[in-house]
Amino acid sequence: MTNEDLWQTVLGEMELTLSRANFVTWFKNTSISAHESGAVIVSVPNGFTQEWLENKYNKFILKSLRKTSPDVKEVKYVIGSYSPPPRREHLDVSPETQMDKESFAYDDQLSVGELEQPVLVNKANLNTRYTFSSFIVGSSNELANAASLAVAGSPGTVYNPLLIYGGVGLGKTHLMQAVGNEILAKRPGAQVKYIAAERFTTELINSLQDKRIEEFKQRYRACDVLIIDDIQFLSGKEKTQEEFFHTFNHLFANNKQIILSSDRPPKAIGGIEERLRSRFEGGMVADVGIPELEMRVAILKKKSEERNIALPDDVLMYISTKIQKNIRELEGALNKIAAYVQHTKTVPSLKIAEKILSSLINQPKRMILVRDIMKAVSDFYDIGLDEIVNQCRRKEVVRPRQITMYLLREELQSSYPAIGAKLGNRDHTTVMYGCEKITKELENNLTLQEEVRLIRERLYANMG
Amino acid sequence: MKFSCIRSYFLNAASSVERIIEKNSTLPILQNIFIKVEKGKTTLSTTNLEIGIHASFQSKADEEGSFTVPAKTLLNFLMYVDTEKITVHTKGTNLIINAGSHKADIKGLDATNFPIIPEITESFSTSLPAEEFFSALSSLTFLSSMGDLRPELAGVFCSFEKNQLRMAATDSFRLGEFILKIPTPKKETTCIIPTRTVNEIIRLFTGAEAVTLKLSANQILIKTQEKELISRLIEEKYPDYTAVIPTSSTTRTYLKREEFMQALRAASVFSGKTREVKINIFPEEKKYIIESRNADIGEHKSEISCDGNGKNVTVSVNYQYFLDALGKISDEMISFENNNETDPILLKGLAGAGPRYIIMPLRSY
């Protein structure tokens, strides 16, 4: 029986004996972080919970543990690092918060940014930390790395455009910026420009507003190398796409290098004009995948060296085994350990590392809610949440709505009538039809498979 | 439980502990104040399970014991009573307060169900000059967020070092630092105090002369003779922010704080939602020209005088960031240092004892 199952049985029992309020208050964010030779270590979120469980519920917990695992002799309560649940966005975004968000996006690029290292952002808007030498290559990103190197060697000639795609935190931005930095290092006068697609859109809007569109055009057409990150954000933004299309053609015709990244293959980006999509696919499309264990260890080693902390191999191994999907999470774990090193001025042993990371690794799974699924779908297809619910029958809306039905059915095992009720009081037969349609289509529609996979990935990425 | 005391003592203690109570907490007892009577003193406690506060006051203990009553009811009643001396005792599940012509009978809850406020297993302890410490905290805390996006930035960083306490806070667009001279602590250490806790500390202890601060790996305790606040700490690594503080600058100018703020406020009217204001600095001509324009509203320009030297430079800034920072600087004259339109700007009082702020300019193309 895993620690998780064991704790679930305890929780199940406690839930029956306590009031709802007490149960939620004292058992939220708790888990078993270790179970060895009769001692169980329960990780709790804070000192209050620690005191309370120790003093008030210890007897019940022990008794309940013994029922399923008779060898348990003692229970200890340890404060795991506090990790507040991800903030939930409300469904109805009021105009004020929306405005705030926009202005936030506006100066996002100007931030003091990653305070971790001195931010050396050069004229091209590239972070000088991202170089090829600091990029770790493994089978999951070999192709993308080789293509990037080739492009850096002779920009504008070999692969144009170069499009790198893959999940979050796998090194897309690193690679793209490395190309830019490399080109700049060889030819310091080159006009290299890195920009996030979102920022590109904001700039375009601003220059339209201020009637400085010519200036905008000139600025981008003067580039030797144009790097645009996260182009999936262009989906649904027609004016931006049009402007980008012309810029793209202009650069392409003049043998200027274009580098793009996306979180999914170009085929799976919805709301992108066909002429643009075909151009994306015209050059080289390379993906970065999830790194294998050895590579994760290597990455972690490199990152801890950068931070000047020497960690024992078993600790590095432990982190790399437990965190598999995202390099940024690896870095997060390393940050936690680094904080410990900073506080105590000692290097943690494997045992201590396990304790430090217990909350990160054994994070209790949060339930996926109906709202999460609806939001994930609406974000993905860039349509309003209300459009999923309302009666609109536009094709762009109907399809995401059916995918929502399908996911609600698959992920939450909701009943057809319940799904119908959530989605604007639709009849259960409508829901059945929707689910079946998607199920059938999934069998041989690759684009749809990819889309559903990505929505799921995002859905669970936020759950921790 | 039975005690008698001076009303204002009781009221003060109750209002000290009341504010952290969360109105919509899941556990009803968290709305209550825990009252504990010991020899010669009564202690009131509350908690929201992140922060716990104790406040004690002198009283005559007739019978030791403890009880809890809803904070709101107790506080409201005490506010409207005007007698000086009151007596308090429990009777069954109620708390009876006799105050001159008033008598209250408040329904309470058994004290055994009140959460235990954890004690701190001390690993670091120091005493601090209260006034300076709190003014340093309040010049920084507005920069730290409540958000969970980057948990390490949701608080004020404190580093206890030789001869000094270095404090910093940032929302990653701007950063504030305050260095406070203190006696060298026995041990060097660092911590990140959550924003909410910082705000409570400022509220609770402002006016105190000296406070004791204790730290363990995940908790902080601040106390005076009468009051104690215990809170969790943020267990993350604070970024090495010193790397973003500019070490040299090619343009250094000095100007009147109030005049600068006035010009920025006027410019803000025309800057729209991007909050962008252009500052043109002409050290040779001893002047600043501050401008803003918005396609929908119109434009504005104002000129103020300055001192200093260096080359002419123009920066675009978010005026709110400047007004926030300037509002926390108490010197009459401020110093404004920068290099060019893209590098961070260093802003501080000319005398230099207070906070200093680093602000990223907006990038203008």
Side-chain angles (χ1 to χ4, degrees):
Chain A
M1 188 179 239
T2 66
N3 288 344
E4 206 172 299
D5 294 339
L6 185 59
W7 193 234
Q8 278 308 326
T9 59
V10 173
L11 291 184
E13 240 175 79
M14 296 305 295
E15 195 169 6
L16 293 177
T17 54
L18 296 175
S19 74
R20 182 82 198 136
N22 263 301
F23 177 72
V24 172
T25 309
W26 300 119
F27 288 92
K28 194 170 57 187
N29 293 333
T30 57
S31 62
I32 294 183
S33 60
H35 176 193
E36 258 170 40
S37 54
V40 167
I41 301 203
V42 177
S43 134
V44 296
N46 56 44
F48 289 94
T49 310
Q50 183 185 30
E51 291 281 344
W52 201 250
L53 295 189
E54 235 165 50
N55 290 293
K56 299 280 177 176
Y57 297 145
N58 186 36
K59 226 197 252 168
F60 300 107
I61 294 173
L62 191 61
K63 214 162 103 189
S64 158
L65 279 171
R66 276 208 187 122
K67 265 187 214 159
T68 31
S69 180
D71 65 309
V72 176
K73 288 191 196 65
E74 64 170 336
V75 189
K76 273 194 192 137
Y77 305 88
V78 179
I79 304 177
S81 298
Y82 181 87
S83 56
R87 190 170 38 187
R88 311 296 305 284
E89 304 225 359
H90 292 290
L91 283 182
D92 48 334
V93 179
S94 64
E96 287 96 314
T97 55
Q98 227 163 21
M99 235 178 72
D100 261 11
K101 265 196 186 153
E102 277 169 36
S103 51
F104 189 73
Y106 177 71
D107 46 17
D108 196 78
Q109 288 282 311
L110 322 160
S111 73
V112 180
E114 308 269 314
L115 280 164
E116 294 295 329
Q117 266 91 21
V119 206
L120 299 168
V121 177
N122 50 28
K123 259 231 153 63
N125 202 10
L126 295 167
N127 186 329
T128 46
R129 259 169 68 205
Y130 293 132
T131 58
F132 280 111
S133 58
S134 62
F135 190 75
I136 295 191
V137 185
S139 59
S140 62
N141 59 19
E142 247 170 343
L143 178 66
N145 183 61
S148 304
L149 273 172
V151 167
S154 43
T157 51
V158 274
Y159 304 122
N160 207 11
L162 169 64
L163 188 143
I164 302 172
Y165 75 89
V168 286
L170 297 177
K172 296 188 297 285
T173 303
H174 189 145
L175 264 183
M176 296 171 87
Q177 296 218 6
V179 178
N181 279 322
E182 179 89 3
I183 294 174
L184 268 185
K186 280 190 200 139
R187 271 203 307 144
Q191 288 294 320
V192 178
K193 192 160 187 65
Y194 169 89
I195 190 161
E198 258 185 313
R199 173 76 186 166
F200 183 80
T201 312
T202 327
E203 259 185 43
L204 176 69
I205 294 168
N206 284 343
S207 57
L208 280 172
Q209 253 177 8
D210 295 357
K211 306 199 171 57
R212 288 190 294 197
I213 187 74
E214 271 314 308
E215 215 177 290
F216 176 87
K217 283 184 179 164
Q218 288 314 318
R219 194 157 68 229
Y220 284 96
R221 292 179 190 183
C223 291
D224 294 320
V225 181
L226 177 61
I227 308 174
I228 302 197
D229 211 346
D230 285 328
I231 50 160
Q232 72 275 7
F233 284 118
L234 293 182
S235 90
K237 301 190 175 99
E238 279 150 34
K239 179 73 190 160
T240 315
Q241 284 184 28
E242 190 190 321
E243 202 45 58
F244 179 57
F245 177 75
H246 294 309
T247 305
F248 189 104
N249 282 346
H250 185 270
L251 293 176
F252 191 77
N254 289 300
N255 288 329
K256 307 292 187 191
Q257 180 69 42
I258 299 153
I259 308 174
L260 308 164
S261 85
S262 152
D263 67 351
R264 65 199 90 152
K267 272 203 176 55
I269 309 176
I272 288 268
E273 279 183 75
E274 205 39 58
R275 56 178 183 176
L276 208 49
R277 191 195 316 277
S278 75
R279 272 169 182 75
F280 289 165
E281 289 169 341
M284 167 81 177
V285 178
D287 69 320
V288 290
I290 293 167
E292 65 273 35
L293 179 69
E294 291 78 5
M295 198 173 143
R296 293 198 298 274
V297 176
I299 291 170
L300 211 50
K301 258 207 174 121
K302 181 119 195 160
K303 293 209 184 276
S304 53
E305 272 164 23
E306 280 170 13
R307 281 189 176 66
N308 264 330
I309 43 177
L311 294 175
D313 284 351
D314 54 349
V315 171
L316 292 176
M317 200 63 172
Y318 173 76
I319 304 173
S320 317
T321 329
K322 292 289 179 181
I323 298 175
Q324 306 185 335
K325 295 216 174 97
N326 183 329
I327 298 166
R328 234 171 273 148
E329 271 175 34
L330 271 185
E331 208 163 353
L334 188 65
N335 277 340
K336 277 216 152 71
I337 303 256
Y340 173 87
V341 174
Q342 193 183 31
H343 186 79
T344 61
K345 316 246 186 283
T346 55
V347 172
S349 65
L350 180 58
K351 267 235 163 78
I352 292 173
E354 278 174 17
K355 216 173 90 184
I356 299 172
L357 298 180
S358 65
S359 66
L360 205 69
I361 285 161
N362 302 320
Q363 235 168 30
K365 291 212 172 47
R366 191 170 72 81
M367 279 286 291
I368 301 266
L369 304 174
V370 175
R371 213 168 54 181
D372 295 326
I373 292 182
M374 286 168 57
K375 187 153 183 339
V377 175
S378 79
D379 280 356
F380 189 85
Y381 292 102
D382 202 25
I383 54 173
L385 261 177
D386 48 332
E387 287 185 278
I388 293 194
V389 179
N390 70 22
Q391 300 300 324
C392 172
R393 295 212 193 126
R394 277 198 346 246
K395 201 177 143 215
E396 307 89 270
V397 181
V398 170
R399 175 101 158 169
R401 192 182 290 140
Q402 287 172 337
I403 294 178
T404 312
M405 293 173 182
Y406 170 81
L407 284 171
L408 286 172
R409 180 79 183 158
E410 289 286 309
E411 301 302 305
L412 300 182
Q413 279 84 42
S414 305
S415 70
Y416 291 123
I419 296 173
K422 291 273 196 255
L423 295 179
N425 273 330
R426 289 188 154 71
D427 194 70
H428 73 277
T429 52
T430 315
V431 181
M432 282 170 72
Y433 170 76
C435 291
E436 269 167 36
K437 182 152 188 284
I438 299 295
T439 315
K440 238 186 226 145
E441 221 176 296
L442 272 174
E443 282 168 21
N444 37 32
N445 181 340
L446 282 175
T447 317
L448 185 64
Q449 281 174 17
E450 182 71 11
E451 285 176 21
V452 170
R453 186 185 68 78
L454 280 158
I455 295 172
R456 279 212 175 94
E457 202 171 78
R458 288 192 185 184
L459 195 57
Y460 288 98
N462 299 328
M463 297 304 136
Chain B
M1 184 186 89
K2 188 173 179 187
F3 69 95
S4 40
C5 67
I6 308 286
R7 170 189 157 269
S8 61
Y9 292 180
F10 196 7
L11 177 61
N12 281 345
S15 51
S16 295
V17 298
E18 184 259 357
R19 243 201 46 177
I20 55 161
I21 289 177
E22 263 159 26
K23 297 206 170 51
N24 305 315
S25 76
T26 42
L27 213 55
I29 203 163
L30 293 178
Q31 313 277 343
N32 284 15
I33 291 186
F34 175 87
I35 308 171
K36 185 177 182 194
V37 178
E38 283 165 324
K39 259 183 282 163
K41 95 178 170 181
T42 300
T43 304
L44 305 185
S45 314
T46 54
T47 175
N48 59 16
L49 300 185
E50 227 173 72
I51 304 173
I53 298 180
H54 304 288
S56 18
F57 57 94
Q58 272 194 344
S59 66
K60 181 167 160 288
D62 300 315
E63 192 189 315
E64 298 194 346
S66 52
F67 197 65
T68 81
V69 283
K72 224 178 168 175
T73 318
L74 177 66
L75 198 66
N76 283 344
F77 175 68
L78 288 176
M79 274 200 285
Y80 295 124
V81 173
D82 48 9
T83 39
E84 183 153 292
K85 232 188 92 185
I86 55 180
T87 63
V88 181
H89 69 275
T90 49
K91 190 175 166 194
T93 59
N94 290 7
L95 187 78
I96 318 257
I97 304 179
N98 281 302
S101 56
H102 300 278
K103 184 184 171 210
D105 195 331
I106 308 175
K107 283 192 174 43
L109 289 167
D110 190 13
T112 52
N113 287 323
F114 194 80
I116 301 160
I117 296 176
E119 301 211 340
I120 196 155
T121 44
E122 170 191 336
S123 70
F124 174 89
S125 170
T126 183
S127 65
L128 291 171
E131 204 180 313
E132 287 95 325
F133 181 52
F134 298 135
S135 89
L137 284 178
S138 51
S139 71
L140 299 175
T141 182
F142 72 98
L143 289 166
S144 60
S145 64
M146 292 273 188
D148 314 319
L149 274 172
R150 293 191 63 184
E152 73 276 22
L153 300 187
V156 173
F157 173 73
C158 294
S159 174
F160 296 87
E161 297 162 1
K162 194 178 166 213
N163 295 329
Q164 66 177 22
L165 167 59
R166 189 159 54 87
M167 288 179 271
T170 177
D171 61 5
S172 90
F173 302 108
R174 50 198 169 142
L175 180 144
E177 186 194 42
F178 201 113
I179 292 176
L180 191 66
K181 296 278 166 244
I182 55 161
T184 301
K186 283 198 192 94
K187 190 173 120 184
E188 299 202 343
T189 187
T190 65
C191 68
I192 309 172
I193 312 175
T195 310
R196 167 117 199 235
T197 304
V198 172
N199 294 335
E200 286 309 321
I201 292 174
I202 295 170
R203 183 186 66 84
L204 196 61
F205 295 104
T206 295
E209 274 175 14
V211 290
T212 305
L213 181 150
K214 292 184 181 184
L215 292 175
S216 69
N218 36 39
Q219 299 209 90
I220 181 170
L221 168 100
I222 306 255
K223 72 172 195 175
T224 60
Q225 201 106 58
E226 300 87 33
K227 295 175 200 167
E228 261 185 59
L229 179 148
I230 291 174
S231 161
R232 71 169 178 99
L233 288 171
I234 296 173
E235 295 173 75
E236 302 276 340
K237 184 176 184 291
Y238 206 74
D240 176 20
Y241 72 87
T242 50
V244 303
I245 298 182
T247 46
S248 66
S249 50
T250 49
T251 302
R252 284 167 193 255
T253 40
Y254 313 105
L255 58 166
K256 286 206 182 89
R257 185 175 69 99
E258 204 39 62
E259 213 174 83
F260 189 24
M261 287 178 84
Q262 217 46 46
L264 286 169
R265 284 193 196 111
S268 74
V269 176
F270 296 90
S271 80
K273 69 179 180 199
T274 59
R275 296 181 173 168
E276 180 174 349
V277 165
K278 258 203 182 95
I279 303 179
N280 306 281
I281 305 173
F282 305 99
E284 288 291 312
E285 296 161 55
K286 295 192 183 302
K287 69 173 183 188
Y288 268 42
I289 292 179
I290 293 166
E291 331 171 63
S292 58
R293 57 184 281 245
N294 181 300
D296 302 330
I297 309 172
E299 16 184 303
H300 156 269
K301 197 178 255 190
S302 61
E303 191 178 316
I304 54 176
S305 61
C306 72
D307 244 327
N309 49 53
K311 60 177 186 7
N312 292 353
V313 57
T314 296
V315 278
S316 281
V317 303
N318 177 335
Y319 69 81
Q320 194 58 52
Y321 291 176
F322 271 72
L323 289 177
D324 288 347
L326 291 166
K328 297 290 179 185
I329 296 174
S330 51
D331 298 9
E332 203 179 311
M333 293 290 289
I334 57 127
S335 129
F336 183 116
E337 298 178 19
N338 67 334
N339 287 315
N340 52 39
E341 59 188 34
T342 51
D343 285 2
I345 297 160
L346 178 64
L347 204 63
K348 61 183 183 193
L350 195 57
R356 53 177 179 163
Y357 296 98
I358 315 296
I359 302 172
M360 281 304 277
L362 295 169
R363 216 175 277 244
S364 65
Y365 291 91

